[in-house]
Amino acid sequence: MSNKMITKAEGNVLTLERLFDAPRELVFKVFSEAEHLKHWWGPRGWTLTVCNVDFRPGGVWHYCMKCIDEKQVDFFGFESWGKAVYEEIVEPEKVILVDYFSDADGNEAEGMPPRLG
């Protein structure tokens, strides 16, 4: 099994799909617990400095990614806040959430579209 990302774009909908050679329960766990999310969420060279997870339908995941890679000159030291609201959780099958750009207080950024995940 490859770890290849499958990307589909239809109109203004972007779908990213990836299969992992790992037990389903483990993949679900690393997406649902702050302890694990801190180790893998975000692009390379960025780290989660804040990661608060209320993992339940209607719950919120509020996080801050910070660029720690000096080679990313324009972004080095930059912080990007996000807020996700969990819509549906079916353990260990799926997690549906809506992800927003936010500020440090969790207020959604105006004018920025949400992302369904």
Side-chain angles (χ1 to χ4, degrees):
M1 176 184 301
S2 114
N3 256 348
K4 181 180 177 187
M5 179 82 71
I6 299 168
T7 305
K8 299 175 191 168
E10 297 175 10
N12 66 350
V13 175
L14 173 65
T15 303
L16 305 172
E17 182 178 319
R18 188 170 179 186
L19 298 175
F20 294 93
D21 187 13
R24 180 182 231 176
E25 293 77 16
L26 177 60
V27 174
F28 189 86
K29 187 175 184 172
V30 300
F31 200 88
S32 62
E33 297 179 5
E35 223 21 63
H36 295 291
L37 285 163
K38 291 177 186 178
H39 295 285
W40 69 270
W41 182 261
R44 284 188 177 93
W46 293 67
T47 188
L48 285 185
T49 57
V50 175
C51 186
N52 299 311
V53 177
D54 180 8
F55 191 71
R56 62 182 174 82
V60 172
W61 169 28
H62 188 227
Y63 60 91
C64 177
M65 296 186 302
K66 183 173 183 173
C67 182
I68 58 171
D69 182 359
E70 293 179 1
K71 294 176 188 167
Q72 297 182 33
V73 178
D74 291 342
F75 296 104
F76 179 67
F78 182 79
E79 290 185 341
S80 179
W81 286 87
K83 168 186 162 182
V85 179
Y86 296 105
E87 299 284 317
E88 181 181 2
I89 298 171
V90 180
E91 190 173 343
E93 295 177 24
K94 68 178 170 179
V95 177
I96 297 176
L97 56 84
V98 179
D99 194 20
Y100 303 88
F101 288 98
S102 77
D103 63 17
D105 295 321
N107 300 305
E108 296 163 17
E110 290 186 31
M112 298 295 289
R115 179 186 66 87
L116 182 63

